[in-house]
Amino acid sequence: MARRGFAFPPMFFLLGLFWFLPPASVQTTNRIGKFSGTCQTETLGREFITSYMEDCGNSSQFEVQITGYFAFTSVSVSIPNYLFHGARFENKTMVNQGEMVRVMLPESVGVKGSHVVSKVVLVKADKDISVVSVSNKHVSPETTVLYPVSSLGNEHYVVTPSTESFNSYPEFSIITYKEPNSVEVHVKGKLHYLTQVHSTGSKLNFKPFSFQVIQLQGIEDVSGTRIVSEKPVAVLVGQVCFCNSTKCNHVFEQLLPVCGWGTTYIIPPLPWQKVNDTVYITASQSTTVLYQRGEQQENVTLTGGNVLQLPVKASIPVYISANVSIQVVFYSLGAANPNSSHAFLMNVPDVASYCLMYSINEQEGFENFALMVANTSETPAIILDNQPLRDMEWKPVPGTEFVWGMHTLGRAMKSHAVEHASSPFSLLSVGTAAMDSYGIPGSCRKNVTFKCQTDTQQTKEQLKRCKDIFQQGNTSEFCSFMNSTLVNLETICAEDRAASLEEVAHPFGSLLNSSILSAGGSKSKWEVASAVTFLLQSVELAALTVALRSPEKKTQNVTTEFMAIETLLVQAASCGDEVFRLRGQEETMDIRCNAVARAATEDPWAVAFISYSTLDSIINRTLLDEGDLMADEKLRNFHLNSRVVSGAIGDGRPMNLSKPVNFTLRNRQAKKEEEETRCVHWKFIDGNGTWAEDGCKSLQTNSTHTICSCDHLSSFALLMGHTGVEESYPLTVVTYVGLTFSLLCLLLAILTFLLCRSIRNVSTSLHLQLCLCLFLADLLFLTAVTRTRSRVVCAVIAGFLHYLFLAGFTWMFLEGLHLFLTVRNLKVVNYTSASRFKKRFMYPFGYGVPALVVAISAAVNPGGYGTSNHCWLSLERGFHWSFLGPVCAIILINLTFFIVTLWILRDKLSSLNEDVSTLKDTSIQKSHPSGSVRAAEMPCPLSDTCLF
């Protein structure tokens, strides 16, 4: 006989199947399919929907407050399916990192009555943002944090504050997204829709289109009403004209879906409250709830749809836990006069959703507070805006390991960042004013890493400038470059995964070919310097981030056509006097392990060394030619002679060096003996990029390499130029004394030539013009040659000196020419025609030729006038030959005239008889030979003065 098998009775099978079925909320959520939300309690996202329910009174102001976490975030606020005055409302703006922007909405966006309308506000961004919705009216402002579309769900339970006021009533809104939806409302309490009244047990079915809002208003408390939708929806709840401790109030809040509820909650008390507030606890299924107020513990069992109203005493925190997920909503009743404040609703975050980083916004005109709940042992590590919280009193939450505390903020419209490195905590933003108050959870920044952000003042100014350009409807290559750089940086920093150095080198390297860097003089110097500075900072941050996110890799390196990067991860616990060497192409960086001055910690820190292949040529081409790149005047005649390298250290916090770091840089051009090399670092000062020496020195140099030692880390390079001649004090004294004496003698000569009529002739006229030019040139040299403060004035002085000295040499040439012609024509008794010829042309020639030379020189190289030390001609590009060339030619010609004159005199004197010879010798010696000697000799001392 066969053995009979054991079989489950049908009833047991059905019971077992029921036992393994998921709760109703889970079943509902699973029906969403591809449209299902994540049911995560996120506050950051890229798309948000909301509406504005009926407010008490006649006039309201509606707005959305948008907070940005990434630079160049483009935001659009629109009302898709509704026309205002015949036009579709849309407002486009830009929000930057750490910035909050307010967008005002038309008053007609408010929904009145119980019906279905297309007044849905849609907020879209190209990067993550957080949004606070504000319904603002005198004595009736209210705020709520909006949850992004990705956090919406399919099942909600309504919570509305109860009231005894005749003129107040509850309301709630159901908001659809971009596709038609199917919505069921299971009524609890009593509400009306259109002309009908619906009571407990009724079910309303709606088929709303995309971007529509279903607004329902209650006749009595409708808490516990269940909303089920085919696709995710947003649900707002509130109270119109609510009057308890204050005058007429409007409250509203966006609810979390059932799939976003938690099991453990802690509610800190409000700092200003003097009366009891209320907590509403909602269950979606049979639930046992334990709550503790102070030292008093109680528990209660709730069934699905039940709402527990729990009074909360002032200054006493509340701890709530349940065996399944529950919804907890805090309701502040406001305060009694004279310090009355407005009531508000607020979602309470569950402990499991606590976050490491938050953003909160102060509300203008309010006393703003940050209420925090944190683990008892972790409170000292919480920081606000990168600064530790000081003088903050923490109080225990009975029955838990948590404490709560309050920090007072300012009264201005400002955004704050609050964070802890490793321990999640809770943050509520609350505030109070005369007849007003608000409360919202802080915006959790789960996907934003504070440590990898370039949040400097100069970056903020650059982003503000680009925002102004964007809002004017214009475009900018510089802003496009900034955006591309930030996108690359955010890609590395925002993703919680290990990245590679290739992901740093390739995208950032391609930016070196950007038109903003390669355009040369067609772009403003400010834009190029700003772009270079920001690129250098971003590559350093990205490289350090990659190293810190790969703790299993002690060293990493990569080399591309644009740059070479090597990183090193150092364990602080094993740090001694060891020297680490990092390489990039042909450059190295040596840093001691104990060179980092930092707080005692076991956390590792990273070192990064970057060598750029082409950045030096970009800076040489686009910036060095501008003449204002050097912070130190003595560096202006130098040029870059090495690759640009960067060194960085960090663990996400600022670090200082206790010992210098050495860099070995290869010279692009072999160093000559008469050249010197300077170690410099890149600085961005007052909108200008500059190379400066401070903190760096050259330890050793040869024809191919230079070793630099610097007491800080930045971006470094070598500048090379000719060794300058140091001024000698005795030589300076001799120069000034000699010139002063020369001026006196020249003045006497000028007066003699002018006042003595008996000696006036062509020769004395030439002497007079020569003395005038020399007098003016020496006087200008003595008084203004060192006035280099103004480049324009210095260039003008250099131009006049160039002209006056050239004119002096030109008149010397005319003197030599005049002497030569006079001696050659000794055999002619009357040579007045020659004298008239010389008088007719000597003035235009004596003053015109120097002017022509100076004009041509200024046209060819206008920047050649004036140097960093003296108002004279620059040595660059051989510009000084515009003076030395004519001078050397004149000296050579005059020397030729002198030799030929002596030769003619010798022949002529030997052919005359003794008496005539004697007479003529006497005459010529008195007037001409001495002039010949002077004409040949005078260029010598003057040329020596100008040459040296």
Side-chain angles (χ1 to χ4, degrees):
M1 185 175 178
R3 191 170 191 180
R4 193 173 177 181
F6 181 82
F8 282 100
M11 181 60 68
F12 280 90
F13 178 81
L14 292 175
L15 287 174
L17 179 62
F18 177 80
W19 179 262
F20 286 101
L21 283 175
S25 61
V26 178
Q27 295 180 58
T28 305
T29 303
N30 290 339
R31 294 202 304 264
I32 300 175
K34 66 177 180 178
F35 301 103
S36 175
T38 62
C39 275
Q40 297 179 357
T41 311
E42 300 283 355
T43 53
L44 266 65
R46 302 190 180 188
E47 289 190 69
F48 301 79
I49 53 175
T50 191
S51 69
Y52 290 87
M53 297 186 294
E54 184 169 348
D55 196 351
C56 59
N58 299 319
S59 178
S60 298
Q61 294 179 351
F62 304 117
E63 67 178 85
V64 286
Q65 298 177 356
I66 303 165
T67 302
Y69 303 94
F70 303 95
F72 297 103
T73 302
S74 179
V75 182
S76 169
V77 180
S78 63
I79 306 173
N81 297 334
Y82 196 81
L83 297 179
F84 296 90
H85 306 293
R88 180 171 172 263
F89 175 85
E90 184 173 17
N91 187 313
K92 292 184 178 180
T93 186
M94 176 181 286
V95 59
N96 287 315
Q97 174 193 339
E99 183 182 22
M100 192 270 286
V101 174
R102 304 167 67 184
V103 177
M104 308 303 297
L105 300 169
E107 185 179 329
S108 55
V109 75
V111 181
K112 296 183 180 295
S114 293
H115 56 132
V116 181
V117 293
S118 298
K119 294 185 177 182
V120 175
V121 177
L122 172 65
V123 182
K124 296 182 66 175
D126 60 352
K127 301 175 185 177
D128 283 353
I129 57 174
S130 62
V131 182
V132 173
S133 175
V134 181
S135 176
N136 193 10
K137 183 188 174 188
H138 179 59
V139 306
S140 182
E142 182 60 11
T143 61
T144 181
V145 168
L146 298 185
Y147 299 99
V149 170
S150 59
S151 292
L152 301 181
N154 306 73
E155 184 180 14
H156 298 77
Y157 280 87
V158 172
V159 172
T160 56
S162 59
T163 178
E164 299 177 357
S165 171
F166 179 75
N167 292 322
S168 62
Y169 47 89
E171 60 183 349
F172 60 92
S173 295
I174 306 164
I175 307 162
T176 64
Y177 188 39
K178 59 184 178 183
E179 291 191 1
N181 208 337
S182 177
V183 179
E184 296 177 356
V185 178
H186 300 266
V187 179
K188 187 172 183 180
K190 186 178 292 186
L191 58 80
H192 64 85
Y193 174 67
L194 298 177
T195 59
Q196 296 183 350
V197 175
H198 303 270
S199 302
T200 301
S202 301
K203 183 174 76 170
L204 281 70
N205 293 296
F206 297 93
K207 299 288 184 180
F209 295 108
S210 62
F211 297 114
Q212 283 196 321
V213 54
I214 306 166
Q215 180 162 290
L216 301 173
Q217 295 178 331
I219 301 173
E220 60 184 42
D221 187 10
V222 292
S223 294
T225 297
R226 181 171 174 246
I227 301 169
V228 181
S229 59
E230 180 185 354
K231 300 180 180 71
V233 294
V235 175
L236 295 175
V237 298
Q239 190 83 26
V240 177
C241 206
F242 188 79
C243 306
N244 258 11
S245 301
T246 62
K247 295 182 180 180
C248 187
N249 293 299
H250 170 66
V251 298
F252 78 107
E253 184 78 358
Q254 180 175 347
L255 294 179
L256 289 170
V258 172
C259 53
W261 294 359
T263 59
T264 308
Y265 298 84
I266 295 174
I267 308 165
L270 295 178
W272 64 81
Q273 190 58 283
K274 304 297 181 183
V275 299
N276 290 349
D277 290 323
T278 305
V279 169
Y280 292 93
I281 304 173
T282 308
S284 64
Q285 55 187 297
S286 181
T287 307
T288 299
V289 179
L290 170 69
Y291 57 90
Q292 182 169 342
R293 294 172 288 186
E295 301 299 331
Q296 179 183 0
Q297 287 189 2
E298 298 182 49
N299 62 73
V300 65
T301 299
L302 301 178
T303 58
N306 279 4
V307 179
L308 173 65
Q309 183 173 330
L310 185 66
V312 178
K313 296 181 180 180
S315 72
I316 297 178
V318 179
Y319 167 64
I320 301 171
S321 65
N323 59 337
V324 296
S325 296
I326 55 175
Q327 174 179 252
V328 177
V329 177
F330 177 79
Y331 175 56
S332 172
L333 298 176
N337 287 326
N339 297 317
S340 59
S341 62
H342 171 70
F344 65 83
L345 275 175
M346 176 175 62
N347 277 318
V348 179
D350 71 292
V351 173
S353 68
Y354 285 5
C355 194
L356 294 175
M357 296 173 280
Y358 290 93
S359 175
I360 58 173
N361 296 323
E362 297 175 1
Q363 299 297 320
E364 189 174 8
F366 284 78
E367 285 186 70
N368 298 283
F369 304 92
L371 279 178
M372 285 173 270
V373 177
N375 192 288
T376 304
S377 60
E378 300 293 339
T379 56
I382 297 177
I383 59 175
L384 171 68
D385 296 332
N386 293 319
Q387 298 295 325
L389 291 173
R390 303 184 186 277
D391 303 324
M392 183 168 173
E393 182 181 1
W394 295 93
K395 299 179 181 179
V397 178
T400 74
E401 58 182 7
F402 290 91
V403 291
W404 71 276
M406 175 195 72
H407 182 76
T408 304
L409 303 173
R411 285 179 169 268
M413 213 67 170
K414 186 178 179 182
S415 181
H416 295 281
V418 189
E419 64 176 306
H420 191 289
S422 58
S423 178
F425 63 102
S426 170
L427 177 64
L428 304 176
S429 176
V430 298
T432 182
M435 301 295 295
D436 294 344
S437 66
Y438 74 91
I440 52 176
S443 297
C444 177
R445 307 172 60 160
K446 290 183 179 179
N447 296 325
V448 182
T449 306
F450 283 15
K451 298 176 182 178
C452 194
Q453 300 288 325
T454 52
D455 194 17
T456 63
Q457 184 61 36
Q458 66 194 39
T459 303
K460 291 179 180 178
E461 293 173 358
Q462 294 159 1
L463 295 179
K464 183 179 183 301
R465 177 178 176 178
C466 290
K467 180 179 177 179
D468 294 339
I469 293 173
F470 172 83
Q471 292 180 333
Q472 292 170 3
N474 300 324
T475 59
S476 165
E477 290 184 14
F478 169 73
C479 296
S480 298
F481 178 88
M482 290 283 290
N483 187 27
S484 300
T485 305
L486 283 166
V487 167
N488 291 338
L489 184 61
E490 290 161 0
T491 301
I492 297 295
C493 298
E495 297 180 4
D496 189 15
R497 63 175 180 83
S500 65
L501 289 180
E502 284 81 2
E503 296 175 73
V504 177
H506 288 290
F508 282 109
S510 63
L511 292 175
L512 292 171
N513 291 328
S514 171
S515 59
I516 191 68
L517 297 180
S518 60
S522 64
K523 301 299 176 185
S524 75
K525 181 174 55 181
W526 180 89
E527 289 185 346
V528 178
S530 298
V532 168
T533 303
F534 193 68
L535 178 64
L536 292 171
Q537 294 173 346
S538 299
V539 174
E540 292 174 14
L541 283 172
L544 289 174
T545 301
V546 168
L548 291 168
R549 286 189 177 173
S550 304
E552 72 283 356
K553 298 179 181 178
K554 183 177 179 180
T555 61
Q556 298 185 61
N557 59 76
V558 64
T559 300
T560 68
E561 60 178 311
F562 302 108
M563 66 183 72
I565 308 174
E566 183 170 3
T567 62
L568 174 67
L569 200 62
V570 181
Q571 298 296 330
S574 59
C575 212
D577 200 35
E578 181 182 359
V579 177
F580 298 117
R581 169 164 289 188
L582 287 82
R583 298 180 181 274
Q585 300 182 109
E586 298 175 285
E587 285 72 34
T588 64
M589 179 178 76
D590 296 330
I591 182 172
R592 293 186 179 276
C593 186
N594 56 5
V596 180
R598 60 205 304 276
T601 176
E602 298 299 320
D603 297 332
W605 51 276
V607 189
F609 180 63
I610 306 109
S611 176
Y612 296 91
S613 302
T614 59
L615 188 57
D616 58 306
S617 62
I618 293 173
I619 295 177
N620 261 334
R621 181 175 66 250
T622 60
L623 292 178
L624 282 178
D625 289 342
E626 298 286 342
D628 288 330
L629 189 64
M630 307 308 172
D632 194 331
E633 290 287 334
K634 63 186 177 182
L635 300 179
R636 288 189 181 275
N637 294 325
F638 285 65
H639 64 274
L640 279 177
N641 194 41
S642 72
R643 293 185 180 92
V644 176
V645 300
S646 295
I649 57 174
D651 62 352
R653 293 170 290 179
M655 292 184 174
N656 298 316
L657 292 178
S658 59
K659 296 182 180 180
V661 177
N662 293 341
F663 296 89
T664 302
L665 306 180
R666 181 176 179 83
N667 300 329
R668 288 284 198 185
Q669 299 175 1
K671 179 183 174 297
K672 301 177 183 178
E673 290 187 3
E674 66 273 15
E675 293 176 326
E676 64 176 323
T677 300
R678 302 288 181 88
C679 299
V680 292
H681 66 96
W682 179 261
K683 295 174 70 173
F684 192 81
I685 305 173
D686 298 329
N688 292 317
T690 63
W691 290 110
E693 281 189 289
D694 53 291
C696 290
K697 62 181 180 180
S698 175
L699 295 182
Q700 183 180 345
T701 184
N702 56 33
S703 60
T704 59
H705 290 83
T706 300
I707 300 177
C708 300
S709 178
C710 299
D711 60 10
H712 62 281
L713 288 178
S714 177
S715 295
F716 304 91
L718 296 178
L719 291 180
M720 188 173 72
H722 290 277
T723 305
V725 178
E726 295 185 2
E727 293 187 3
S728 170
Y729 177 74
L731 183 60
T732 302
V733 172
V734 170
T735 300
Y736 278 84
V737 172
L739 284 176
T740 304
F741 182 72
S742 297
L743 286 173
L744 179 61
C745 295
L746 288 169
L747 180 61
L748 292 175
I750 292 170
L751 293 175
T752 301
F753 293 137
L754 287 174
L755 300 177
C756 296
R757 297 179 179 270
S758 60
I759 63 172
R760 288 185 180 177
N761 54 35
V762 175
S763 179
T764 56
S765 296
L766 292 170
H767 292 339
L768 175 61
Q769 303 308 315
L770 173 60
C771 291
L772 283 173
C773 290
L774 291 179
F775 179 84
L776 293 175
D778 288 350
L779 180 63
L780 186 61
F781 183 90
L782 190 65
T783 57
V785 74
T786 58
R787 296 181 181 273
T788 59
R789 178 173 300 179
S790 171
R791 293 182 63 85
V792 175
V793 173
C794 185
V796 172
I797 293 171
F800 274 110
L801 285 174
H802 188 197
Y803 172 76
L804 290 171
F805 280 120
L806 278 180
F809 277 99
T810 305
W811 285 107
M812 289 180 190
F813 165 76
L814 291 175
E815 276 199 356
L817 178 62
H818 171 258
L819 178 61
F820 170 74
L821 293 176
T822 301
V823 172
R824 192 188 67 173
N825 295 327
L826 283 176
K827 63 182 179 180
V828 181
V829 176
N830 185 359
Y831 55 92
T832 56
S833 61
S835 298
R836 285 196 302 270
F837 173 81
K838 287 181 287 189
K839 289 180 180 179
R840 185 184 309 167
F841 291 101
M842 69 180 185
Y843 286 103
F845 187 87
Y847 288 109
V849 171
L852 181 63
V853 172
V854 171
I856 294 174
S857 301
V860 171
N861 185 13
Y865 286 99
T867 68
S868 59
N869 297 320
H870 299 99
C871 297
W872 184 234
L873 308 185
S874 172
L875 298 178
E876 295 181 1
R877 297 169 58 183
F879 186 69
H880 56 293
W881 283 103
S882 63
F883 175 73
L884 292 180
V887 167
C888 291
I890 290 172
I891 292 174
L892 183 61
I893 293 171
N894 271 11
L895 184 60
T896 303
F897 283 159
F898 178 67
I899 295 172
V900 172
T901 298
L902 291 178
W903 187 266
I904 292 173
L905 285 175
R906 187 182 69 85
D907 292 341
K908 294 298 180 184
L909 289 177
S910 64
S911 64
L912 297 177
N913 64 40
E914 185 175 357
D915 294 338
V916 175
S917 175
T918 302
L919 180 61
K920 289 209 177 262
D921 275 343
T922 304
S923 176
I924 292 174
Q925 287 175 2
K926 288 181 178 179
S927 58
H928 298 302
S930 61
S932 175
V933 173
R934 285 196 304 272
E937 291 177 345
M938 287 182 69
C940 296
L942 182 61
S943 62
D944 291 343
T945 302
C946 296
L947 288 173
F948 295 100

